[in-house]
Amino acid sequence: MKIMLNDAPHEFVGETLQDLLTHLDKSEQGIAIAINQQVVPKSLWCSTELNEQSQVFIFESIAGG
């Protein structure tokens, strides 16, 4: 499937946000995800399906000091 991930074209095999996170080897801790400018609650990541050309943004919290 071809999507836009953080404004860059990206291709992966899968259907859901959880599939994408597994593909990217991303931890669920400290991130938020929006699809087509709509934030998706973490409780729905396993059931939220992606479509061709979905615009996905993954936001990561960064600790600093």
Side-chain angles (χ1 to χ4, degrees):
M1 173 180 312
K2 295 177 185 177
I3 63 169
M4 293 296 289
L5 178 61
N6 295 340
D7 281 333
H10 189 84
E11 193 166 341
F12 80 104
V13 176
E15 296 179 1
T16 66
L17 277 178
Q18 191 62 53
D19 294 338
L20 178 61
L21 291 176
T22 299
H23 166 77
L24 296 172
D25 196 27
K26 287 265 186 210
S27 169
E28 293 182 15
Q29 297 293 335
I31 65 171
I33 301 176
I35 299 176
N36 301 326
Q37 301 180 352
Q38 295 285 346
V39 174
V40 179
K42 188 178 281 191
S43 62
L44 298 178
W45 290 359
C46 288
S47 61
T48 300
E49 292 187 8
L50 298 172
N51 299 312
E52 289 283 328
Q53 300 303 317
S54 289
Q55 293 184 336
V56 180
F57 284 92
I58 299 177
F59 303 94
E60 296 184 58
S61 62
I62 300 172

